Amino acid sequence: RLVQSGGGLVHTGGSLRLSCAGSGFAFDDYATGWFRRVSADKTEGLSCISSSGAVTYYFEATKGRLSASTDNANNTMYLQMNNLKPEDTANYYCAAINGPCWHCSRDGCYSDGSREVWARGTLVTVSS
């Protein structure tokens, strides 16, 4: 499973770091990703780190403000978010997949059907 921490309230321009600790599986064998749910029917993919360490940021609007990383020795993943904006307000989720990274676009994210593990998520609120 994945246990997430680090969300909360921050002012515009502020920073937050989300953490996600995994247990019951090894990060070495999984790609790890960060997502956010912006509405009841829309989840955006933010980043993915493949099992080989390649990092993908899915959207230009967030790419320069986010930094994803993993500590495979401690089965923990992180998302550093800087210069936060009110439109970044959302529930944020970490996930891991026992296969290649998800394919994400404006229409959503898709996997190849490999086993996935998802955290329960944490709310990030950015006040203006």
Side-chain angles (χ1 to χ4, degrees):
R1 66 174 190 158
L2 290 169
V3 178
Q4 195 172 329
S5 60
L9 174 65
V10 65
H11 294 296
T12 296
S15 297
L16 278 177
R17 188 175 82 155
L18 305 182
S19 301
C20 192
S23 61
F25 65 100
F27 272 29
D28 286 340
D29 300 326
Y30 282 68
T32 57
W34 288 94
F35 302 80
R36 66 185 183 188
R37 179 162 293 171
V38 297
S39 67
D41 58 355
K42 185 175 181 181
T43 298
E44 295 180 338
L46 298 175
S47 67
C48 184
I49 300 178
S50 72
S51 58
S52 64
V55 184
T56 299
Y57 295 101
Y58 291 116
F59 293 124
E60 290 295 327
T62 57
K63 186 182 295 186
R65 301 186 292 116
L66 304 183
S67 178
S69 61
T70 60
D71 178 355
N72 285 4
N74 291 300
N75 250 30
T76 304
M77 55 196 291
Y78 304 95
L79 183 68
Q80 176 69 41
M81 303 186 292
N82 301 318
N83 190 23
L84 284 162
K85 305 175 181 181
E87 53 264 39
D88 293 318
T89 295
N91 281 296
Y92 284 72
Y93 299 84
C94 61
I97 184 168
N98 191 205
C101 281
W102 297 263
H103 297 279
C104 292
S105 68
R106 294 290 181 188
D107 297 328
C109 294
Y110 308 92
S111 75
D112 70 348
S114 298
R115 177 178 181 264
E116 299 181 34
V117 183
W118 285 78
R120 292 191 173 187
T122 186
L123 179 62
V124 172
T125 303
V126 185
S127 64
S128 59

